Amino acid sequence: MFFISALAEQEISLRNVALTVLSTAAFLPGVAYAQCRPMPVQVNVITPEPQVVLSSPQNVAMAAGNPAQLRASAPSGWHINGLAQAKPTIDLKMQGESVPGCYRPRVVTVTIGFNEPIQVFIAGKYRPGSCEYENIRQHEMQHVRIYRNSIMNHAGSLQFDINRAVGTLTPQQLSSTQAQQLAFNQVFGAASGVFNRMMEESRRLNAPLDTVENYRMEQARCSNW
């Protein structure tokens, strides 16, 4: 007998977190250190809408790329017929002004979301439109909504924490030879903290969907497993 299963989504996501580091400086001549004063920093937080791709492989675990781990995660006697695979990323870009004895960030842009489509796998033995197919699809789309909502729920915190981190940068810090890296590390640390809280919320909200009790309740809606 076959059952609905959507296991280990968040573990997959965490192992595939990509942290992109890019710092760009525009050089402006003729500005003395005495003029190195804090400047307003524009903070942009971008949360692009994820693309969702549905596919119907014959073997969901093989299609997901880690069959051994997924099979080990499944409760004894249960088969993986559905899986939502998401790979959230955070990308930080900092632009600033660099002159002798002074570096000042001017624009910080953080993109938090999914650089790759969210993959929803539904076992190929279930015909689209059938009760079983739709039941699995609805289950996986609940995971997709949780992924998306967890990002939106933390977008405001991300903006606030980055603004606060930028506000702690002083002219003395920004005038050191390591100024660009110090500024980047401070902002990146704030962004990473919010990202980690977002991932924890997503794990917590996903967990009740992937219990044996919930699988049994969903299975009872259809008869041709």
Side-chain angles (χ1 to χ4, degrees), residues 3-225:
F3 301 84
I4 302 169
S5 183
L7 302 170
E9 288 88 350
Q10 279 303 290
E11 284 129 341
I12 293 170
S13 300
L14 285 172
R15 275 191 295 275
N16 288 278
V17 170
L19 302 177
T20 303
V21 175
L22 175 62
S23 182
T24 305
F27 289 86
L28 303 179
V31 179
Y33 169 64
Q35 297 175 310
C36 186
R37 298 183 298 272
M39 299 286 289
V41 179
Q42 178 183 339
V43 176
N44 305 313
V45 175
I46 303 172
T47 57
E49 189 69 26
Q51 180 185 1
V52 181
V53 176
L54 275 71
S55 60
S56 298
Q58 292 304 308
N59 187 309
V60 170
M62 288 292 292
N66 51 358
Q69 180 193 349
L70 289 174
R71 291 193 196 101
S73 302
S76 178
W78 289 62
H79 300 269
I80 299 173
N81 285 331
L83 182 71
Q85 189 175 61
K87 302 175 182 179
T89 63
I90 182 169
D91 178 81
L92 172 61
K93 297 179 182 178
M94 181 180 295
Q95 295 174 296
E97 297 175 352
S98 182
V99 295
C102 180
Y103 172 77
R104 295 182 295 200
R106 298 301 301 271
V107 181
V108 174
T109 301
V110 180
T111 302
I112 185 168
F114 304 94
N115 289 338
E116 301 177 16
I118 298 176
Q119 299 287 336
V120 173
F121 302 104
I122 302 175
K125 61 188 174 183
Y126 299 118
R127 178 178 54 84
S130 66
C131 177
E132 292 74 21
Y133 181 97
E134 288 303 313
N135 205 42
I136 297 172
R137 185 185 66 81
Q138 290 174 20
H139 176 102
E140 301 310 331
M141 291 308 293
Q142 289 183 77
H143 287 299
V144 172
R145 285 192 293 274
I146 288 172
Y147 296 145
R148 176 58 175 161
N149 289 343
S150 65
I151 290 174
M152 298 306 295
N153 291 345
H154 287 81
S157 295
L158 189 61
Q159 183 107 25
F160 178 83
D161 284 11
I162 292 175
N163 279 327
R164 183 170 58 183
V166 167
T168 65
L169 300 172
T170 67
Q172 288 75 25
Q173 289 174 305
L174 299 178
S175 65
S176 70
T177 55
Q178 296 84 21
Q180 294 182 44
Q181 192 62 51
L182 286 171
F184 187 91
N185 291 346
Q186 194 151 339
V187 174
F188 184 75
S192 297
V194 176
F195 185 83
N196 291 336
R197 294 197 297 273
M198 178 201 80
M199 294 297 294
E200 178 57 35
E201 176 183 294
S202 188
R203 282 196 304 271
R204 177 174 55 81
L205 295 178
N206 271 308
L209 298 178
D210 291 327
T211 63
V212 171
E213 293 76 16
N214 192 55
Y215 292 159
R216 286 174 177 159
M217 181 181 69
E218 295 184 346
Q219 178 199 4
R221 297 171 185 163
C222 306
S223 57
N224 293 318
W225 298 106

